[in-house]
Amino acid sequence: MTRIVTRAVPARAAWQLEQQGLHPLLARLYASRGVTDRAELDYELKSLLPPASLTHAADAAQMLADAIEAGAKMLIVGDYDCDGATATAVGMRALKTLGADVDFLVPDRFKFGYGLSVGIVDLAAQQSPDLIITVDNGIASFEGVARAHELGIATLITDHHLPGDGLPEADCIVNPNQPGCDFPSKCIAGVGVMFYVMLALRAELRERGFFAEHPEPNFADLLDLVALGTVADVVKLDRNNRILVSQGLKRMRAGRLQPGVAALFKAAGRDPRKATAMDLGFFVGPRLNAAGRLADMRLGIECLITDDPARALNIAQQMDALNRERREIESDMQEQALLLLEAADVDDASPGIALFDDSWHEGVVGILASRIKERLHRPVFAFAPGEGGIIKGSGRSIPGLHLRDALDLVAKRAPGLLVRFGGHAMAAGATLRAEDFATFRDLFADVAGELLAPADLTRTLETDGGLEGGYISLETARLLENEIWGQGFPAPLFLDEFDVEQQRVLKEKHLKLRLKKGNTRIEAIQFNFSVQPGARTRAAYRLAVNEYMGVETPQLMVEYLEG
């Protein structure tokens, strides 16, 4: 069941935004998202939160500056998702520009799992680094940090994940979510944290007079990478994150992007001159992520750090092939998951779901959990077999259940059940022994049932109400596409009643429609539809630009349709 609500529009805020020169439709949309002054939509770089406000960023900068001046060997330990890959690339590009001796290492997710583990530190030690820098990981790496210290390797942790009860004894930790950090943007991505550390490093070197003898780099040139990682990691787009994304998109549209990012756009069949946040989240990001899911994210990072356009395109095409393979694997797993749900008699009363199949692919369980969550509107964990009798799971949640907190409660109630766990409110990971799956499944369902209110279990679709017929146009679609939308700052979703003039099913799963509202006729499409409408229907939709054979037309992307 889906409950449809309309966002409230504070009339005074909308009026004020309109008086300040904002388009009337945008004034209404922004007011309903909590914007009260046009100044909040100033996405210039000068409006970014200053690097000095991020706790320990200045300490990290001093540490890195000392290492550069001493000719110390640095090794970046990244993560195998898009955020980790772009954060690694930002670090590699920035540090190399400053003359640092730096290389990178990414854990093979199938052998080492996530983060700065003891195994990864031992592997890193073979390169004899003086300093290990983590990006997008490390805040829970107690054993790994301790092992590095045993080996005489200094550690700098840059991360954005939520810490547990304590912090590892690293030489320096930069994480906006660590205790005592007052940095306002708690939802900055891992790539954003690394970008801030690089800005702080440049300021430190400037203070030391370093640029009297060396050219000073413009790190704004890295913002295409920052924007890509931020959108792909689905972090909340608060104002600071919207500035980072806006500036990155601005550079992409101007043709100022890394060869690897340009190659990924080409492989995805998208035009960077018209880049939108949706391009990053649904077309470019998944191709980069495919390398970490099915192969080795080193491939993706090589794509992002090479300055050779031909090599970048070759790698991007490999990742495009991996992404197609990922989609096929995911489709098969989804069919199996639905059969498992049927066999387990999981219904709407189940507050939390955990699924496991020994044929599933570890790199795709996160997407599978996301798809099942969307289908059932329940928090879901999907597990695949790992090595040595363990299974590795990825979870996705719904509003009302903080997934990492739920895992923490599971761990407290059944000490030793979880080999390890971590994550965010909406996404988390867990590792356990295969024989303990049933225990976890039942305990997770119990915990979810306690933490979720009955109202949380009803899917709520928030819309922006109706869209005047005159606004259903190509001009309005372009206007909306050029704004910055994303997690926590959702793209406009309108709700209207239409006459259905035509409908047909494409490829047995997509619904193509011709709709009429008043005197306005418009083409519409709903992907993976579940019901077909009658002669008249109510639809929740996004207004988008459809390009076919070089011709652009407005189109409705239907998200909900009444049969």
Side-chain angles (χ1 to χ4, degrees):
M1 181 180 145
T2 300
R3 184 168 65 100
I4 297 177
V5 298
T6 301
R7 289 186 184 91
V9 181
R12 182 170 180 78
W15 176 83
Q16 183 167 317
L17 290 169
E18 200 172 332
Q19 292 302 302
Q20 292 173 342
L22 213 58
H23 185 286
L25 177 59
L26 290 180
R28 171 185 136 200
L29 295 171
Y30 280 129
S32 70
R33 285 155 179 76
V35 176
T36 58
D37 192 291
R38 189 169 185 172
E40 296 171 54
L41 303 172
D42 173 9
Y43 296 152
E44 293 304 308
L45 274 177
K46 62 178 170 39
S47 301
L48 269 181
L49 294 168
S53 62
L54 179 57
T55 299
H56 299 316
D59 298 331
Q62 288 181 14
M63 191 177 179
L64 291 168
D66 290 345
I68 290 171
E69 290 181 345
K73 187 168 185 180
M74 301 180 229
L75 185 68
I76 297 173
V77 175
D79 184 23
Y80 39 70
D81 69 357
C82 194
D83 187 18
T86 51
T88 302
V90 164
M92 287 293 295
R93 283 191 169 276
L95 289 168
K96 278 191 172 293
T97 303
L98 296 168
D101 179 0
V102 62
D103 203 350
F104 72 93
L105 177 66
V106 185
D108 181 331
R109 75 188 297 162
F110 309 112
K111 289 181 184 174
F112 295 102
Y114 166 79
L116 188 69
S117 62
V118 171
I120 279 297
V121 173
D122 287 340
L123 187 63
Q126 295 174 18
Q127 298 185 39
S128 304
D130 300 296
L131 170 63
I132 286 176
I133 307 161
T134 72
V135 293
D136 194 30
N137 75 90
I139 199 65
S141 300
F142 295 89
E143 296 87 355
V145 168
R147 178 61 176 158
H149 283 193
E150 276 178 34
L151 298 172
I153 305 170
T155 49
L156 163 59
I157 288 174
T158 75
D159 200 353
H160 69 130
H161 292 92
L162 298 172
D165 293 335
L167 297 175
E169 294 184 2
D171 294 271
C172 183
I173 297 176
V174 185
N175 182 335
N177 289 303
Q178 67 180 307
C181 182
D182 297 327
F183 190 66
S185 182
K186 299 297 182 187
C187 46
I188 191 169
V191 67
V193 175
M194 190 55 171
F195 180 67
Y196 262 73
V197 170
M198 293 300 101
L199 292 179
L201 171 59
R202 187 180 60 180
E204 173 67 21
L205 289 172
R206 190 185 293 142
E207 190 118 336
R208 295 186 185 196
F210 182 83
F211 298 119
E213 298 177 9
H214 304 85
E216 182 168 337
N218 180 8
F219 285 163
D221 290 338
L222 302 172
L223 281 162
D224 60 333
L225 295 169
V226 179
L228 173 56
T230 299
V231 172
D233 210 45
V234 203
V235 293
K236 181 182 177 183
L237 291 192
D238 63 3
R239 186 187 176 203
N240 207 60
N241 279 339
R242 294 201 304 277
I243 293 171
L244 293 171
V245 172
S246 175
Q247 287 294 321
L249 288 171
K250 184 178 174 181
R251 281 160 176 76
M252 292 175 196
R253 292 167 186 162
R256 293 165 54 193
L257 63 174
Q258 314 300 330
V261 178
L264 285 163
F265 265 92
K266 190 166 186 179
R270 310 299 289 182
D271 184 355
R273 293 172 301 178
K274 301 174 183 176
T276 66
M278 182 170 281
D279 287 326
L280 304 185
F282 291 94
F283 296 98
V284 180
R287 282 163 174 79
L288 185 55
N289 266 328
R293 293 189 189 282
L294 300 187
D296 181 353
M297 188 46 102
R298 187 172 187 92
L299 191 69
I301 295 167
E302 291 285 358
C303 181
L304 298 179
I305 64 176
T306 183
D307 289 321
D308 180 350
R311 173 160 167 69
L313 184 57
N314 179 267
I315 298 173
Q317 287 167 341
Q318 291 180 56
M319 289 192 287
D320 184 56
L322 284 170
N323 193 50
R324 287 196 298 273
E325 183 185 346
R326 185 270 303 166
R327 284 201 297 258
E328 288 174 16
I329 292 170
E330 179 202 331
S331 178
D332 291 343
M333 285 168 60
Q334 196 167 336
E335 283 182 26
Q336 292 167 359
L338 294 174
L339 289 173
L340 278 176
L341 287 168
E342 214 172 277
D345 198 25
V346 174
D347 57 25
D348 288 348
S350 303
I353 295 164
L355 301 167
F356 166 62
D357 190 284
D358 58 15
S359 70
W360 285 352
H361 194 294
E362 180 188 328
V364 188
V365 286
I367 298 178
L368 176 65
S370 183
R371 297 284 189 264
I372 300 298
K373 178 211 76 170
E374 290 299 327
R375 191 181 187 100
L376 299 179
H377 192 68
R378 295 291 182 272
V380 176
F381 264 94
F383 286 86
E387 294 180 351
I390 63 166
I391 59 174
K392 297 178 180 180
S394 190
R396 298 294 183 269
S397 195
I398 60 175
L401 181 79
H402 191 297
L403 205 51
R404 193 201 170 281
D405 287 355
L407 288 176
D408 193 42
L409 195 51
V410 167
K412 285 181 169 67
R413 290 191 181 172
L417 175 67
L418 298 179
V419 176
R420 56 182 170 270
F421 69 92
H424 299 289
M426 302 305 285
T431 300
L432 50 135
R433 289 169 291 276
E435 62 267 23
D436 292 336
F437 170 71
T439 305
F440 173 84
R441 179 194 61 209
D442 296 343
L443 190 50
F444 177 64
D446 290 345
V447 166
E450 292 170 25
L451 297 179
L452 285 163
D456 295 330
L457 298 173
T458 298
R459 186 192 309 273
T460 300
L461 200 60
E462 261 194 315
T463 79
D464 292 289
L467 184 63
E468 297 89 331
Y471 281 150
I472 300 179
S473 67
L474 183 60
E475 182 185 20
T476 307
R478 285 177 178 149
L479 175 78
L480 297 178
E481 252 190 16
N482 284 328
E483 298 300 302
I484 307 299
W485 313 104
Q487 183 71 18
F489 202 78
L493 182 68
F494 302 105
L495 181 72
D496 276 303
E497 289 198 2
F498 295 95
D499 292 321
V500 181
E501 294 193 334
Q502 292 177 16
Q503 59 176 301
R504 67 183 192 277
V505 179
L506 308 177
K507 298 181 181 178
E508 299 183 0
K509 59 180 181 178
H510 308 314
L511 187 62
K512 183 76 173 167
L513 302 152
R514 184 166 180 79
L515 303 175
K516 182 184 176 190
K517 180 188 176 187
N519 295 320
T520 303
R521 288 181 169 83
I522 183 79
E523 297 291 322
I525 190 164
Q526 183 179 26
F527 295 110
N528 301 307
F529 79 100
S530 54
V531 296
Q532 285 188 252
R536 189 160 176 80
T537 188
R538 189 167 68 138
Y541 61 91
R542 303 193 188 283
L543 181 62
V545 176
N546 181 48
E547 186 175 342
Y548 182 70
M549 303 287 284
V551 177
E552 290 185 337
T553 54
Q555 178 177 250
L556 306 188
M557 310 295 288
V558 177
E559 291 205 2
Y560 169 82
L561 193 68
E562 290 185 349

